[in-house]
Structure formats: C-alpha cells, structure tokens
Amino acid sequence: MRSLVLILALIAAPVQAVTLRWAAQNDILTMDPHSQNHATTHSIMQYTYEGLVRYTRDYQIEPCLATKWEQLSDTQWRFHLRRNVKFHDGSPFTADDVVFSFGRIKQPQGTNQIYVSGVKEVKKIDDYTVDLLLDGPSPILLRYIIDFRIMSKSWSEKNRSQNIQDYKAKEETYASRNTSGTGPYIIKSWEPDKRIVMSVNKDWWGKLDGNITEVIYTPIKSDATRVSALLSGDVDLVTDLPTQDVERLRKEANLKVLDGHEVRTIFIGLDQHNDELKYSNVKGKNPLKDVRVRRALNMAVDREAIRKVTMRGLSIPAGIMIAPGVHGYSKDIDRVAKYDPAGAKKLLAEAGYPDGFDFTLDCPNNRYVNDEKICQALVAMWARAGLRVKLNAMPFANFIPKILNFDTSAYMLGWGVQTFDANYTLQSLVRTKTTGADGSFNLGRISDPKIDALVDAAKITTDTKKRDAQLREGLEITRDQAYYVPLHHQMRPWAMKKHVSIVYSPDDRPQARFATVK
C-alpha cells in the first residue's frame, strides 16, 4: 500500500521546470509582431506569435496555423485552418483573425509588408478556410508568409491596438508592450534592456521537440560581460560571441561551440536621393549620386583586413548583397572589390573631389558582431583615400528610427534573408521605394528602372531557370553600380553549456522548442 501511495504521489508531482537562459547583445525593439522587420524582434516574437506555415528543424515548410493548403490557380491559394486553437487570452483562433492580421500588417507605419508581398486580398471562405488572392503567380509564397504572424482580432480591438504602432515616431501602444499569440511560449514580462521571461504554453496545440519550459532572454551589450556570464554559469547559451573569445571558449571543458554562418550580409548604405548630402561639407550637390564616388568607397575598403583583424577570421568578404545559403547566391558573382586606396583617390578626383569630402557614418554599437569596431576600421580606411568621415555610433534602438526617417548620409546595416531567396533582398533594399513592401529598407532611395523590372519579374516567374537569371542580373547590377558597400557575410558561432542542445539557426532565430537542457 505504501509503495502504491508513493507511485501515485510521483505521478501527481508537477513536471520540473527546465529553464534556458539565453544571452545576446541587443534587445527587441517592440512586441508588436507587425511593426519592425528586425531579426531579434522576430526571433523572440516567433515564440508567441505563429503564422499559417513554419520552418522545420532543417528549414523545410510545414503546417502551422494552417493544416493544409492547395493552389486553386496561379493567383488563388486556399488554406485550411487548424481547429481548436486558442490565443493566450483564451479567445479562439478563426479565419477572422487571419483577415484582420493581413489588413494590419499592410499598414504603412510597419516594415513587415514584405511578408505578404504579392498578396492582394485574404478572403474568408468560412470560419476555418481562407483564400489568399494574389496579384500574380508567387513562386516562394510559402516562404514569405512564415513571418506573416497572426494576431487576435478581438484582443487587438479590446486593447485599442488595431493599428501598428508608429515606431519611428516613438509611439507606444498596448500591443507594443503586451502579447497574445497562439505559440508555444507566453511572454510573461519584458524589462527593456534587462530581460524577457517566457513560460511554456500548456494549452499549445503543438508538441515541443525538447524539454524547455521557461526561457529567460538577457540582452548584454558588453562583450566581456556576456562571456563572463556564460563562464560563470549565469547563462546557458550565448549567440553573439565576441570574435576574440571564440578560440578560448572552444577550450573550456564545460562548454561547446556550435559553428555556422548566418544568411546575413553586413553593408554600408548610401544616400542617393537628396540633392544635397546631409552632414557633409559639400553644398548644393550629393557626391553619392555619382557611381565613381560609390565605386571609390568600395575600392577603399580592405575587407580582408577586416576579416583577419577585426573579425578574427569569422567573416566571408562580400562583393554581393546576399550570403551563401541564399537561393541566387553564386561564388562566381560574389567578386570582392579590389582594395586600392590610390585608385579610389583617382576616381574621387575624376568625380570632382581631388581633396575628398566630409560625411557622417551612422553605426549601431550593439547589434552586429563587432559593428562599431568595423565602422572605426572603415573610417580609417576611407581616410587613406582622402575621405574625412565622422563616426556616429549609437544603440540600435536609437539608430533604427534615425535611418527610417532618412536622417543619414551613410549607415551600417546587416540584412538577414528569412525567405532564403535573393529577391527578398533585392525587393527590400534595391527596388524603388513605395509605401508597401517594395523598397521597404531602401533607405538610400536607390531608383533603377532595370532593377525594378527584374525584381517585379522575379516575384511572379515560376520557371526556375528564367527566375535565377533575373536574380543574378539584379545582383550583378547592384554590385556594378555600387549601390551599396557590401562588407562581409557574417559568421556566427554560438557557445553553450555542455548540457545544452539546440538547432543552429542560419536566420539568427534560436528556437527553444528544438532545445534540451539535461
């Protein structure tokens, strides 16, 4: 009898909480899932908000809030929605939430319209069926809509959050500070720049492929402090490793390092729109509109020195705007501009600037691996070509509103490719800016009719060979016109305690549902 009581007590005992303590260098920008197309924000929001489809462990498409789908025509896809799903506030998930979320994500004050690119309308067929009506064929529709996150219509209306916050105007709303998704984890609290606490959603429709019941995310800007937290056992996982510490961490007996490169390219954007360049001593004109000046900026960058010295070998020098692992990448077109400061100086003289000129480089100091150090190296390199560049480094949360308001002459940014397809980059960064997805992060306001035609064709071309040729040409024109200064494709090893297992994410989005702490 005593043994039976003991067995029953063990069965009734609650499952022990298993916490994953994860640190990286920057915080989320908002909790509004439709507001900011920012990797860390998406990385955390995927824990609580879901899409119609999602990625598997090996980045294949699988059902999520839709259980199945069929293509009724080139411009009509039908999605059958999962039944008996509830949002975290208890409200039921239905087709109305999908229709509402589509109208919301398209609002111009957000920067996530790219994820419904080419979708003209979401039409409710019944409570558990919706049709996506398209402007034309969409060869990678399913990869785009992974980040079309579904919000509760009733929760949003109840909390006066039908509209996306105006982030660049520093607006706060209920949805920018609170969440109610359908996902595997519930965000319990967010203290900006301190911590985010998430607990497992016991009513989630899915099943974890791991044992994590609580996630504590801590943004730690300081490299030394972040590494110390891992070594002391205060955190279990660090996904922003300082390059100078990687080899030392490999030798730590109680740690392991997971190697990989992101599908992210670090680059410098240039104002090619204003008739007079901001924050420059050149008056009445904009030197960056001249391709010779842009080529000079590219030639004056010693990418190999950045790789060896600043990045300690943990970068791939870049000549094009997409990284290996993105569809459309080819090593033969990823040709890095030859480092030639004398040649750059000559080009500047030909363009009418024999003595160079002044401008300001805006740079985040807590977002990308060694971001401020890279910018410091660039300032010194450009000086050898006669350019006098003032570095303006700041936290990412201050940096993003500044560049979104076009208050910049040149800026550093890193672009990750969530769709693993080159047109995501070309459409977001190079196509002429409109109020929608086209040119959503074309903050230098490049406008090239040939690029526009190639991007628009690649959106709807289903013939793979033709489409690949369109992507290649778009990447080559962007490179040859020096519309950007690509620096490198970012490599990003993670370090963790030996007892932690997690799937490496080339899109920089660690998922606790694939993690185990023993």
Side-chain angles (χ1 to χ4, degrees):
M1 183 70 181
R2 226 174 124 194
S3 359
L4 179 60
V5 171
L6 181 61
I7 290 166
L8 290 171
L10 288 170
I11 292 170
V15 178
Q16 187 179 357
V18 179
T19 301
L20 176 69
R21 296 165 303 165
W22 160 33
Q25 68 173 326
N26 80 312
D27 201 1
I28 62 173
L29 299 177
T30 176
M31 292 208 291
D32 187 325
H34 299 148
S35 175
Q36 293 303 301
N37 193 6
H38 168 236
T40 306
T41 302
H42 279 301
S43 184
I44 297 295
M45 289 306 104
Q46 73 178 347
Y47 281 69
T48 194
Y49 286 109
E50 297 179 301
L52 298 176
V53 297
R54 67 183 182 187
Y55 283 128
T56 63
R57 293 168 68 101
D58 57 353
Y59 286 85
Q60 301 304 306
I61 305 293
E62 71 174 358
C64 190
L65 290 178
T67 55
K68 61 180 180 176
W69 50 88
E70 61 260 6
Q71 195 172 350
L72 303 180
S73 73
D74 279 351
T75 58
Q76 186 175 8
W77 289 59
R78 177 157 293 174
F79 289 82
H80 302 273
L81 305 181
R82 195 174 294 277
R83 294 169 183 262
N84 303 315
V85 173
K86 291 191 181 298
F87 288 95
H88 297 158
D89 70 338
S91 58
F93 160 68
T94 69
D96 291 331
D97 303 304
V98 183
V99 174
F100 166 77
S101 297
F102 175 72
R104 194 176 188 277
I105 198 173
K106 284 178 70 74
Q107 292 172 7
Q109 67 272 31
T111 60
N112 284 300
Q113 300 97 332
I114 187 78
Y115 299 116
V116 289
S117 178
V119 181
K120 183 168 56 180
E121 182 187 353
V122 175
K123 184 178 180 184
K124 176 181 175 180
I125 304 304
D126 59 42
D127 280 350
Y128 294 99
T129 314
V130 294
D131 281 2
L132 267 60
L133 307 178
L134 312 181
D135 293 320
S138 182
I140 61 162
L141 174 69
L142 296 177
R143 288 190 175 271
Y144 272 116
I145 63 171
I146 279 171
D147 281 313
F148 167 35
R149 306 282 171 184
I150 308 305
M151 291 182 75
S152 163
K153 181 175 186 282
S154 61
W155 179 86
S156 299
E157 289 174 345
K158 177 184 170 185
N159 294 296
R160 300 191 346 194
S161 292
Q162 301 97 315
N163 295 326
I164 301 174
Q165 67 175 140
D166 189 345
Y167 183 84
K168 65 184 180 182
K170 301 183 178 178
E171 181 187 19
E172 294 283 358
T173 66
Y174 190 82
S176 72
R177 290 288 174 177
N178 300 273
T179 60
S180 180
T182 58
Y185 293 88
I186 297 168
I187 296 179
K188 292 294 189 181
S189 64
W190 172 32
E191 297 172 77
D193 296 320
K194 287 185 180 176
R195 60 162 39 187
I196 297 168
V197 178
M198 297 176 272
S199 65
V200 73
N201 175 14
K202 292 174 184 173
D203 297 321
W204 186 44
W205 58 267
K207 185 180 177 184
L208 297 178
D209 188 7
N211 69 346
I212 306 301
T213 60
E214 181 184 57
V215 180
I216 300 174
Y217 175 76
T218 306
I220 305 175
K221 179 185 172 184
S222 163
D223 287 348
T225 307
R226 209 160 55 248
V227 169
S228 294
L230 181 64
L231 291 170
S232 67
D234 290 338
V235 301
D236 305 305
L237 167 71
V238 170
T239 53
D240 274 335
L241 290 186
T243 51
Q244 67 272 15
D245 291 314
V246 173
E247 291 311 312
R248 175 165 70 99
L249 293 173
R250 288 189 200 280
K251 295 169 186 170
E252 288 287 331
N254 64 337
L255 298 180
K256 61 183 178 184
V257 174
L258 195 57
D259 285 293
H261 70 76
E262 281 188 84
V263 285
R264 180 182 303 282
T265 301
I266 307 295
F267 61 88
I268 303 299
L270 307 167
D271 170 27
Q272 293 154 66
H273 172 78
N274 286 314
D275 292 328
E276 182 175 293
L277 186 63
K278 282 188 167 189
Y279 308 111
S280 172
N281 65 332
V282 179
K283 300 304 173 190
K285 61 200 283 194
N286 182 349
L288 300 180
K289 288 190 174 191
D290 191 319
V291 68
R292 293 170 295 185
V293 173
R294 300 195 301 270
R295 285 176 181 157
L297 285 168
N298 269 278
M299 290 166 64
V301 176
D302 189 345
R303 292 165 177 82
E304 188 57 27
I306 292 174
R307 184 187 76 81
K308 284 182 178 175
V309 180
T310 314
M311 297 301 292
R312 306 288 180 104
L314 292 173
S315 67
I316 303 167
I320 59 173
M321 292 292 289
I322 59 166
V326 177
H327 181 81
Y329 179 86
S330 176
K331 199 168 184 179
D332 68 300
I333 63 170
D334 195 8
R335 295 202 302 270
V336 177
K338 184 184 174 186
Y339 175 53
D340 183 3
K345 205 162 189 175
K346 188 179 173 187
L347 268 180
L348 287 170
E350 285 177 17
Y353 305 98
D355 301 318
F357 57 91
D358 302 0
F359 67 95
T360 295
L361 173 62
D362 294 311
C363 182
N365 60 13
N366 66 337
R367 175 61 188 101
Y368 310 111
V369 179
N370 290 334
D371 42 17
E372 186 172 5
K373 290 176 184 173
I374 295 165
C375 289
Q376 288 166 349
L378 285 175
V379 167
M381 289 170 187
W382 281 334
R384 290 181 202 127
L387 293 160
R388 297 168 299 280
V389 182
K390 180 186 174 187
L391 176 57
N392 182 31
M394 68 193 83
F396 196 74
N398 300 331
F399 169 82
I400 279 291
K402 187 177 196 296
I403 65 171
L404 287 177
N405 282 311
F406 310 110
D407 184 22
T408 185
S409 46
Y411 58 92
M412 170 190 268
L413 203 63
W415 196 250
V417 185
Q418 282 79 8
T419 63
F420 295 84
D421 183 85
N423 213 40
Y424 174 85
T425 294
L426 292 170
Q427 183 180 358
S428 302
L429 299 181
V430 198
R431 199 199 180 283
T432 300
K433 187 170 181 61
T434 67
T435 54
D438 292 337
S440 58
F441 267 83
N442 179 357
L443 305 178
R445 287 178 282 184
I446 300 153
S447 188
D448 184 326
K450 193 159 189 185
I451 290 271
D452 293 353
L454 288 164
V455 168
D456 291 346
K459 289 177 189 174
I460 60 173
T461 299
T462 53
D463 181 311
T464 304
K465 197 171 177 182
K466 281 184 183 175
R467 188 172 184 274
D468 286 352
Q470 292 158 355
L471 297 176
R472 183 184 179 97
E473 190 177 355
L475 291 166
E476 288 179 324
I477 292 171
T478 303
R479 178 198 65 199
D480 295 343
Q481 290 297 312
Y483 286 136
Y484 287 97
V485 183
L487 301 175
H488 57 249
H489 312 305
Q490 185 167 271
M491 298 178 75
R492 195 172 165 112
W494 299 351
M496 63 203 75
K497 295 293 185 185
K498 274 263 169 78
H499 61 270
V500 175
S501 297
I502 193 166
V503 176
Y504 185 84
S505 306
D507 60 354
D508 189 27
R509 299 182 183 185
Q511 294 201 50
R513 69 187 176 98
F514 296 142
T516 302
V517 173
K518 292 178 182 174

